[in-house]
Amino acid sequence: CGIEVIDITRHMDFNIGQILKYILRLGYKNDSNFTNYEKILSDLHKAEYYLTREIDRIDKLCKNNGNH
């Protein structure tokens, strides 16, 4: 639709921006060495990595602030 992902994600926390980036581009990365399913799976794993990092970061903040 003419909107670049970076224009959306630059205003977000790094991890959240990365999650959104990989979700929005699911399977669209130009790499002829992989099937469409492999590209989608790769992007989902990358989004999962950043989601796990963000969960761990927030969990650590909660523990440090006595909110857990």
Side-chain angles (χ1 to χ4, degrees):
C1 68
I3 298 172
E4 294 290 328
V5 173
I6 194 167
D7 292 331
I8 298 167
T9 61
R10 73 169 48 144
H11 305 287
M12 300 177 173
D13 172 77
F14 179 78
N15 288 331
I16 300 298
Q18 291 297 97
I19 295 163
L20 188 58
K21 175 181 83 172
Y22 287 113
I23 296 298
L24 288 175
R25 75 168 204 186
L26 272 177
Y28 285 104
K29 186 178 177 185
N30 291 327
D31 192 339
S32 59
N33 294 326
F34 297 100
T35 68
N36 195 46
Y37 290 118
E38 290 171 326
K39 290 187 270 187
I40 289 170
L41 194 56
S42 175
D43 286 337
L44 287 172
H45 280 297
K46 290 174 186 175
E48 177 185 38
Y49 169 79
Y50 286 104
L51 180 58
T52 300
R53 284 183 54 166
E54 186 64 8
I55 290 168
D56 291 345
R57 185 185 74 80
I58 292 172
D59 191 44
K60 201 176 288 186
L61 284 173
C62 288
K63 287 178 183 175
N64 288 340
N65 291 322
N67 295 328
H68 205 281

